[in-house]
Amino acid sequence: LFNESEKKFRNTVMQAPVAIAVFRGPGFIVETANLLYLQVVGKTENELIGKPLLQVLPEVREAVESLLAAVLTTGKASSKLEYLVPICRFGKIDNAYFNAVFEPLKEADGTVTGIIVVATEVTSLVNAKYKLAESEKHFKHMVMQSPVAMAIFRGREFIIEIANVEMK
């Protein structure tokens, strides 16, 4: 009964719509990685499971090593929004952004022996946000440089947000 329940749970984790991985010990040995995690890092189970994370994915060392070590040694969870992690995919380094939780994995006696990572890649959202900010900056620059009087008003009270020199 317990073995069947364990299989069902493992199957559920493997199909979860978020990237999930379990790392054990100070070497961050990859114990488990679901399908989405494998896709995110561009590796197969054979390339990743049972191996030190930082050996298989050396490009992530600077971004995650101290964070993982802190969770492992302090036993305190950490969460990050729009966390930048460079990942080598398809032979080149991509700047990927994640919303992630790093949770200590505790044994029955309370000893922390590993880390559970649950992450959602938000790279496309972060890139869209930066493009929008850049577009807004460009538009405001155009307003300020226009030879015609221009202003941007906000809200029902028509509060002046920006006005060029010609408007004054």
Side-chain angles (χ1 to χ4, degrees):
L1 179 67
F2 183 71
N3 197 17
E4 188 62 33
S5 176
E6 192 175 311
K7 284 180 186 176
K8 284 182 180 180
F9 178 73
R10 179 166 166 66
N11 187 40
T12 301
V13 169
M14 290 304 285
Q15 295 180 56
V18 293
I20 300 172
V22 174
F23 309 127
R24 290 287 184 167
F28 313 120
I29 306 300
V30 182
E31 182 176 280
T32 303
N34 73 351
L35 297 174
L36 193 51
Y37 188 90
L38 294 170
Q39 288 174 357
V40 164
V41 299
K43 299 292 182 192
T44 65
E45 273 190 290
N46 288 339
E47 292 172 316
L48 198 61
I49 304 300
K51 297 182 175 81
L53 176 70
L54 302 177
Q55 180 180 321
V56 179
L57 300 171
E59 68 276 12
V60 305
R61 179 181 298 276
E62 189 174 321
V64 302
E65 184 176 32
S66 62
L67 175 65
L68 294 174
V71 173
L72 192 63
T73 58
T74 67
K76 293 182 182 175
S78 180
S79 61
K80 300 287 183 183
L81 296 176
E82 298 179 0
Y83 191 54
L84 174 62
V85 180
I87 297 179
C88 186
R89 298 190 266 206
F90 309 111
K92 72 177 192 92
I93 299 288
D94 279 340
N95 283 329
Y97 293 87
F98 298 91
N99 290 345
V101 176
F102 303 84
E103 191 73 32
L105 183 59
K106 298 177 181 178
E107 299 304 317
D109 66 359
T111 306
V112 177
T113 60
I115 302 157
I116 301 171
V117 177
V118 179
T120 303
E121 184 168 359
V122 292
T123 303
S124 59
L125 295 173
V126 171
N127 288 341
K129 183 172 78 170
Y130 286 133
K131 285 180 184 175
L132 181 62
E134 195 59 37
S135 177
E136 183 177 333
K137 180 179 165 186
H138 179 66
F139 178 72
K140 284 183 179 181
H141 179 73
M142 285 178 26
V143 168
M144 295 304 289
Q145 299 302 315
S146 175
V148 177
M150 294 181 92
I152 298 175
F153 300 94
R154 291 279 183 204
R156 292 182 180 189
E157 292 81 32
F158 299 104
I159 297 170
I160 299 172
E161 181 177 298
I162 188 171
N164 68 359
V165 173
E166 300 299 322
M167 186 72 180
K168 296 179 182 174

